[in-house]
């Protein structure tokens, strides 16, 4: 059995090498690639993706997994070997169900749609992408149908990103969250808007970069095992457990943009860098689900990076970096500014309280589109209507309505959004457990120390990589299923100090 296991590992390592090499090409494409290189790069990336896919769906892998399954089941559930066989078998079964020809067709269609979207959004021209989006919806339904036996047609698509979650469970959780959230949003937005003028002064890029690097280093991001580069849409990418890179963008007239996207991506990166070294070069060496991944970017961005304790340490340093801009702004004013809550049009700019309402709107539309109760042609109007009902404001056009997010224009319709809100809910649930284990964490943050928190996160959440599904991990860490209470407690606590709730 040891030999068979070794053979499986060798094959999976080669596939991981191909995928990571492809990720390097993708990182380069989004950072340094000159425009002339784009067509060749697209071709190179799809060749590598195809080779990796072919190697993975090879029947030899299926035979090895069959032979290894009884052996794996005889081992402890959380052992590296048992987990490798179990998780790979799950990935393998899923990969076999989608015909390669369909996948090729889907990628090609996505590339065309994405290109059309980059032109349609600035032109506010939904009609341009409408037929493409109709085809995306059709392909998304076909994708779901490769996994028959579902309760809701969105279930298989939700499963891709958040394995173990279903439309029904997510809908119920979101309904509960909505009920608790709407009164908080109403209470806050009926009070005077916080003044964020201090964030909108001129902040030169070079100093923003220096300050961001300092923050990253202090929270535990290791520049020997990563880099920070510039891009249009910030992201994190992993080439190895020892090479996880992040990207950011700069707005010289708005401090938040770079600062908080660096901490956000830094959180994603700390997760990937915290996976145990023994899992390197295997399918287990990554985060376990979209929701859990987002819980870590949100934990570092909001529960740490937007906390008063964090800024008690960092604000004097920020003032020293930007004396002309901030010397007359007291910490309290800055803290209120970075935690300003307002009803706004664009999801990615939304504060942590209203953000989830944006996600719920998209999640509900995904279900309605897939069910067929909403047609693509009616989507822009439905969007405006729902937005007015949920936020009490109107988007002037589709640019900041149905055209604002890339997700549907570069992937499937279904499963694309729930992870963001699951992440918010989980960030508070996990942080509460960390505080229970180490009540000194906020005091340490006041001194610019984060190793106790990071150590707890590595041990409990990062090190296992993909060994446990999200529901299993949540159960192990919090002692039960996902619940909204810790998140609501966190919001009421924090915003109860800033506003009258
Ligand atoms: Zn994220």
């Amino acid at each position: 059995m040891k030999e068979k296991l070794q053979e499986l590992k060798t094959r999976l390592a080669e596939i991981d090498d191909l995928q990571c090499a492809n990720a390097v090409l993708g990182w380069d494409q989004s950072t340094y690639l000159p425009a002339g290189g784009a067509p060749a790069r697209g071709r190179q990336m799809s060749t590598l993706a195809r080779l990796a896919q072919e190697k993975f769906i090879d029947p030899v892998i299926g035979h090895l997994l069959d032979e290894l399954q009884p052996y794996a089941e005889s081992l402890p559930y959380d052992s590296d070997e048992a987990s490798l066989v179990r998780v790979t078998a799950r990935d393998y079964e899923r990969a076999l169900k989608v015909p390669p020809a369909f996948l090729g067709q889907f990628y090609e269609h996505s590339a065309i749609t994405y290109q059309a979207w980059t032109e349609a959004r600035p032109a506010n021209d939904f009609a341009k992408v409408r037929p493409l989006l109709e085809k995306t919806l059709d392909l998304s339904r076909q994708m779901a149908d490769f996994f028959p036996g579902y309760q809701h047609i969105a279930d298989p698509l939700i499963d891709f990103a958040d394995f173990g979650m279903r439309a029904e469970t997510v809908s119920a959780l979101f309904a509960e969250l909505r009920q608790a959230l709407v009164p908080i949003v109403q209470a806050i937005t009926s009070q005077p808007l916080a003044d964020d003028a201090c964030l909108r002064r001129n902040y030169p890029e070079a100093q923003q970069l220096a300050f961001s690097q300092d923050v990253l280093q202090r929270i535990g991001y290791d520049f020997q095992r990563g880099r920070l580069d510039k891009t249009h849409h910030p992201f994190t990418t992993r080439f190895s457990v020892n090479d996880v890179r992040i990207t950011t963008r700069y707005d010289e007239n708005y401090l938040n943009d770079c600062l908080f996207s660096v901490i956000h991506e830094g959180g994603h990166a700390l997760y990937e860098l915290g996976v145990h070294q023994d899992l390197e070069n295997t399918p287990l060496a990554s985060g376990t689900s979209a929701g859990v991944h987002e819980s870590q970017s949100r934990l570092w961005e909001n529960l740490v990076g937007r906390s008063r304790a964090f800024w008690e340490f960092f604000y004097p340093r920020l003032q020293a970096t930007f004396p002309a801009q901030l010397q007359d702004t007291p910490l309290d004013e800055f803290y209120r500014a970075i935690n300003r809550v307002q009803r706004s049009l664009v999801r990615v700019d939304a504060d942590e309280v209203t953000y989830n309402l944006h996600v719920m709107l998209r999640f509900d539309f995904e279900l309605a589109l897939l069910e067929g109760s909403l047609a693509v042609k009616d989507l822009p109007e439905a969007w405006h209507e729902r937005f007015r009902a949920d936020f009490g404001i109107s988007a002037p056009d589709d640019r900041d309505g149905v055209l604002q997010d890339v997700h549907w224009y570069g992937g499937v319709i279904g499963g694309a959004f729930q992870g963001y809100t699951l992440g918010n809910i989980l960030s508070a649930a996990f942080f509460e457990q960390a505080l229970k284990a180490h009540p000194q964490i906020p005091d340490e943050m006041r001194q610019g120390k984060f190793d106790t928190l990071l150590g707890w996160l590595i041990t409990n959440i990062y090190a296992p990589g993909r060994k446990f599904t999200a529901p299993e991990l949540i159960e192990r860490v919090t002692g039960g299923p996902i619940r909204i209470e810790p998140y609501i407690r966190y919001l009421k606590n924090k915003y109860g100090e800033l506003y009258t709730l």
Side-chain angles (χ1 to χ4, degrees), residues 176 425 428-429 432 482-491:
E176 211 189 325
I425 297 171
E432 200 172 80
I482 182 168
R483 292 170 61 237
I484 64 157
E485 285 78 3
Y487 183 56
I488 297 301
R489 268 199 290 278
Y490 157 72
L491 289 179

Side-chain angles (χ1 to χ4, degrees), residues 264-265 268 294 297 420:
H264 180 100
E265 299 307 328
H268 281 303
E294 200 64 12
S297 53
Y420 295 117

Side-chain angles (χ1 to χ4, degrees), residues 313-327:
F313 177 79
F314 278 107
Y315 192 58
R317 304 175 75 88
L318 186 70
Q319 281 180 311
T321 310
F322 298 108
Q325 297 88 334
L326 290 172
Q327 62 185 355

Side-chain angles (χ1 to χ4, degrees), residues 297-351:
S297 53
R298 288 295 185 177
L299 185 150
W300 287 99
E301 178 193 351
N302 290 332
L303 287 94
V304 175
R306 280 191 170 87
S307 72
R308 188 184 282 273
F310 180 91
W311 287 105
E312 279 174 25
F313 177 79
F314 278 107
Y315 192 58
R317 304 175 75 88
L318 186 70
Q319 281 180 311
T321 310
F322 298 108
Q325 297 88 334
L326 290 172
Q327 62 185 355
D328 297 332
T329 305
L331 170 60
D332 265 3
E333 187 182 329
F334 176 79
Y335 178 66
R336 284 183 77 86
I338 59 168
N339 286 298
R340 160 159 134 159
V341 177
Q342 70 182 128
R343 298 181 156 111
S344 62
L345 296 174
V346 178
R347 177 185 60 86
V348 295
D349 299 332
D351 57 82

Side-chain angles (χ1 to χ4, degrees), residues 331-486:
L331 170 60
D332 265 3
E333 187 182 329
F334 176 79
Y335 178 66
R336 284 183 77 86
I338 59 168
N339 286 298
R340 160 159 134 159
V341 177
Q342 70 182 128
R343 298 181 156 111
S344 62
L345 296 174
V346 178
R347 177 185 60 86
V348 295
D349 299 332
D351 57 82
E352 59 179 330
V353 183
T354 59
Y355 188 93
N356 299 297
L357 297 177
H358 289 270
V359 173
M360 290 175 194
L361 173 152
R362 288 150 179 80
F363 179 75
D364 290 345
F365 280 148
E366 287 191 322
L367 299 193
L369 287 165
L370 287 163
E371 285 164 6
S373 56
L374 175 66
V376 169
K377 72 171 169 53
D378 300 325
L379 188 56
E381 206 26 64
W383 186 291
H384 289 303
E385 206 173 293
R386 167 83 184 255
F387 201 85
R388 274 192 296 271
D390 276 13
F391 291 83
I393 52 172
S394 308
D397 52 28
D398 293 330
R399 201 180 344 228
D400 286 337
V402 69
L403 287 170
Q404 70 173 265
D405 293 304
V406 60
H407 304 59
W408 295 338
Y409 305 97
V412 287
I413 294 175
F417 287 100
Q418 77 284 330
Y420 295 117
T421 284
L422 295 175
N424 284 331
I425 297 171
L426 289 172
S427 66
F430 291 152
F431 195 67
E432 200 172 80
Q433 294 301 320
L435 289 181
K436 238 182 237 172
H438 304 288
Q440 74 275 28
I441 284 173
D443 281 332
E444 291 184 359
M445 291 205 282
R446 282 185 195 100
Q447 297 155 38
K449 295 201 180 80
F450 301 90
D451 32 323
T452 304
L453 172 61
L454 180 57
W456 184 90
L457 291 167
I458 289 175
T459 306
N460 292 283
I461 297 172
Y462 304 170
R466 295 181 67 213
K467 277 186 182 180
F468 308 116
T469 64
E472 285 169 347
L473 187 75
I474 295 163
E475 174 81 41
R476 290 172 70 98
V477 176
T478 70
I482 182 168
R483 292 170 61 237
I484 64 157
E485 285 78 3

